[in-house]
Amino acid sequence: YDLSNQLIFAICAFATCGGYYGQLQVKVDCADRRQSNHSINIKFGYPFRLQEVHFKAPLCEAKRDEVLFLDGDFSSASHFFLTVGVFSFLYSLLATIVYVFYQNKYLKNNRGPLVDFFITVIFSFMWLVSSSCWAKTLSEVKMATNPTQVLLLISACRAPENKCTATQQPLWSRLNTSVVFGFVNAVLWAGNIWFVFKETGWYKRGQRFPTSSVSRKRTSEMRQRLYSESSFDLPEESFRPQLSRQDGFNQSRGGFGQQVQRQGSFQSQVSLSLAHTYIGKPVIYDREKNVALQGPMIFVNEM
């Protein structure tokens, strides 16, 4: 199967997340004109340890600045997402080299396909979990860096006589794209599970034995169908008086056509007993007492 898509999307996933850099800007206007129009720039980025991001905000009444920090530590989810992306890229690169240059060793003793199958299942699960965690964490990062939430941290903005506004918000398109790439990788790895499974010995053994059983079943069905058609689907006008078991022995001695019994006597013999019933080949005669058709025949012993 093609690993180029896995390589490309893995690079896109950890590149869009790991290299993010965001900035927001707020402005504080104090009631005192001497402390008005203070612009505050707040910068943050990967790995999103927001509790370490600090900025200075003016204290309008004291004519000095205060140091404030953002809330939240979201590094674990971002590290997890980036780690899965890097390792999946490395494994895809290694698998490509093995498929191209070491194909014989890969297929030897069925070890290579089995290892590849289990690792593919693990990466599929890890991509799904890491992408879900990162999507939830990204929503929390957006809330923590919302300018409205940041303004509540500033003491001057809590005073009604002062005016605070948000002049710039972070751009989230890059991080949103990283979440999309994460789920695309999960779909790609999950889809490759089937192709890797076909290379294992489990699939090959499963394909070998059901085929023979199905063929035997079809053969038996065809035999039963042919027997039923030849035994019971003859037209009604083709039935003529048939010979009994003793007549069959006499025919082998050359007495063809002389001891034919009537249809009524044949029916009376059948109604006597079904416990000693034998199946043979009847002989059907035309009007000139020549053999016209042979088919299944039932002989019944008299009790």
Side-chain angles (χ1 to χ4, degrees):
Y1 60 97
D2 190 9
L3 293 173
S4 59
N5 293 330
Q6 294 179 353
L7 289 170
I8 295 173
F9 282 101
I11 294 173
C12 294
F14 67 75
T16 52
C17 176
Y20 178 78
Y21 172 79
Q23 179 179 350
L24 63 94
Q25 187 180 65
V26 296
K27 185 175 69 172
V28 179
D29 292 334
C30 298
D32 187 1
R33 294 298 178 182
R34 293 175 297 181
Q35 298 288 335
S36 62
N37 294 328
H38 282 271
S39 295
I40 305 172
N41 295 321
I42 304 173
K43 301 177 181 180
F44 63 96
Y46 178 84
F48 306 100
R49 294 190 178 96
L50 299 183
Q51 81 278 7
E52 298 178 359
V53 177
H54 64 278
F55 59 94
K56 292 182 179 181
L59 292 173
C60 295
E61 65 279 2
K63 297 181 182 180
R64 61 184 178 85
D65 296 336
E66 63 175 347
V67 179
L68 300 173
F69 292 86
L70 296 179
D71 295 332
D73 183 7
F74 308 100
S75 59
S76 59
S78 59
H79 281 156
F80 180 41
F81 181 78
L82 197 70
T83 302
V84 172
V86 171
F87 276 99
S88 65
F89 167 76
L90 294 176
Y91 177 76
S92 299
L93 185 61
L94 178 62
T96 302
I97 296 174
V98 172
Y99 293 158
V100 174
F101 299 102
Y102 303 99
Q103 184 71 18
N104 295 331
K105 293 183 178 180
Y106 172 77
L107 298 175
K108 186 178 181 181
N109 298 328
N110 200 32
R111 293 180 180 178
L114 288 178
V115 173
D116 194 13
F117 173 74
F118 286 114
I119 293 179
T120 303
V121 172
I122 292 173
F123 270 112
S124 303
F125 178 75
M126 297 299 288
W127 269 117
L128 180 61
V129 173
S130 62
S131 300
S132 302
C133 293
W134 173 231
K136 182 179 182 299
T137 302
L138 179 58
S139 64
E140 296 176 356
V141 172
K142 292 179 180 180
M143 292 181 60
T145 57
N146 189 357
T148 304
Q149 295 294 117
V150 175
L151 291 176
L152 295 177
L153 300 175
I154 302 174
S155 302
C157 296
R158 291 195 292 266
E161 63 274 9
N162 299 323
K163 183 180 179 181
C164 299
T165 57
T167 58
Q168 182 180 351
Q169 295 186 359
L171 298 177
W172 303 108
S173 58
R174 184 170 180 176
L175 293 182
N176 293 334
T177 305
S178 68
V179 174
V180 174
F181 281 132
F183 284 106
V184 170
N185 278 284
V187 173
L188 285 176
W189 283 85
N192 285 332
I193 292 177
W194 168 248
F195 297 101
V196 179
F197 177 73
K198 290 174 66 176
E199 299 294 332
T200 61
W202 299 336
Y203 177 80
K204 295 178 181 178
R205 287 195 298 268
Q207 285 294 104
R208 187 183 304 117
F209 296 104
T211 303
S212 59
S213 62
V214 171
S215 62
R216 288 195 300 268
K217 183 178 179 181
R218 290 180 178 177
T219 303
S220 61
E221 290 178 354
M222 289 296 296
R223 290 177 178 176
Q224 293 178 0
R225 186 180 300 174
L226 292 175
Y227 177 76
S228 61
E229 289 178 356
S230 62
S231 302
F232 304 103
D233 293 342
L234 295 175
E236 294 181 359
E237 58 272 10
S238 63
F239 286 98
R240 293 292 184 270
Q242 301 178 0
L243 298 178
S244 63
R245 184 180 180 186
Q246 184 177 359
D247 296 333
F249 289 108
N250 294 330
Q251 289 173 6
S252 61
R253 299 174 182 176
F256 290 98
Q258 295 181 1
Q259 300 191 16
V260 178
Q261 296 182 359
R262 291 179 301 176
Q263 184 74 17
S265 63
F266 170 73
Q267 294 179 353
S268 63
Q269 291 177 4
V270 173
S271 61
L272 292 177
S273 175
L274 295 179
H276 301 280
T277 304
Y278 305 93
I279 298 177
K281 291 186 178 180
V283 180
I284 300 175
Y285 297 88
D286 55 10
R287 294 180 179 179
E288 297 178 358
K289 294 184 179 182
N290 296 323
V291 178
L293 179 64
Q294 292 186 359
M297 179 176 178
I298 301 176
F299 299 99
V300 182
N301 288 338
E302 294 182 0
M303 300 299 294

